[in-house]
Amino acid sequence: MSVRTPSTSRADLIADTALTLLAERGMRGLTHRAVDEAAGLPQGSTSNLARTRQALLELAVRRHAEREARLLAVGEMPDPSGGLDALTEGLALAVHRTLTRNRALLVARYELALEATRRPELRAFYDATGAVFREQLTAMLTAVGSPDPARHVLSLVAWADGLMFSCVAGTFNAEVPDLDEVRAGLRELLTGMLGR
């Protein structure tokens, strides 16, 4: 399951273990007791940190957002003032990295997203964590001259999410596109949106 290093806090260990369980067993396999057992913690440790299921799910969503932010590495993206080429390259690297470095993190995201459709309190929390990335994309698209950044962010996120879902849980699960293919798809999308 999750491996605890000296720098890993108990909260991070519990959250990472919850994400692993979500990816391996689905939402029904995520219980406080299962997290304790999988993390090698004394019984009750997860309950002490996250008393309710909602609290455990929020902990998982928060940790997922942290880990996905590191994986997507928005801070490593080229400066959008570099134009369409720079934006395409940065986004292609982020999407390809997500597809190849930690597919289980994507599966956990899908489990959390589906659960959020049934829990309004989780929906609000889930959406708030995703808003940061949407704001960053909006700024990038604005910088490269998008005439309608909000609509274009939706199209871009839908394209990327669709590709990732298809390659991780859908009918293309055995076929991960290489970086050149991801780059070509993004260039086609961005060129069409930006009229270049």
Side-chain angles (χ1 to χ4, degrees), residues 127-146:
D127 290 350
T129 62
V132 173
F133 186 66
R134 284 194 315 274
E135 289 165 10
Q136 291 168 329
L137 279 178
T138 300
M140 288 179 205
L141 287 171
T142 300
V144 296
S146 168

Side-chain angles (χ1 to χ4, degrees), residues 32-189:
H32 288 75
R33 179 181 293 246
V35 173
D36 288 341
E37 290 172 3
L41 294 171
Q43 187 173 346
S45 296
T46 301
S47 291
N48 285 338
L49 181 70
R51 292 233 177 263
T52 65
R53 182 158 182 84
Q54 175 67 21
L56 180 58
L57 291 170
E58 288 181 7
L59 186 70
V61 168
R62 186 177 303 111
R63 184 63 171 166
H64 182 275
E66 291 169 4
R67 288 180 55 188
E68 195 167 68
R70 284 197 309 266
L71 196 62
L72 294 175
V74 174
E76 295 174 11
M77 296 269 183
D79 184 344
S81 65
L84 184 61
D85 288 340
L87 182 60
T88 300
E89 187 62 26
L91 292 175
L93 286 170
V95 170
H96 189 259
R97 185 181 288 168
T98 302
L99 281 170
T100 57
R101 286 201 184 168
N102 200 340
R103 294 164 66 96
L105 196 58
L106 276 173
V107 174
R109 184 208 306 173
Y110 301 141
E111 289 287 343
L112 289 165
L114 288 171
E115 187 66 10
T117 67
R118 297 180 282 271
R119 291 176 174 262
E121 66 280 7
L122 184 61
R123 173 88 277 156
F125 191 80
Y126 183 91
D127 290 350
T129 62
V132 173
F133 186 66
R134 284 194 315 274
E135 289 165 10
Q136 291 168 329
L137 279 178
T138 300
M140 288 179 205
L141 287 171
T142 300
V144 296
S146 168
D148 192 348
R151 185 170 56 83
H152 288 158
V153 165
L154 175 59
S155 295
L156 182 58
V157 169
W159 181 88
D161 278 347
L163 176 70
M164 291 186 290
F165 182 86
S166 294
C167 293
V168 171
T171 56
F172 290 91
N173 67 78
E175 305 170 35
V176 175
D178 63 27
L179 181 58
D180 288 338
E181 292 170 311
V182 174
R183 187 184 295 116
L186 273 165
R187 177 167 293 288
E188 289 167 353
L189 178 67

Side-chain angles (χ1 to χ4, degrees), residues 17-32:
T17 303
L19 291 171
T20 299
L21 288 171
L22 284 169
E24 291 177 355
R25 303 179 190 176
M27 194 57 65
R28 292 179 68 186
L30 178 64
T31 65
H32 288 75

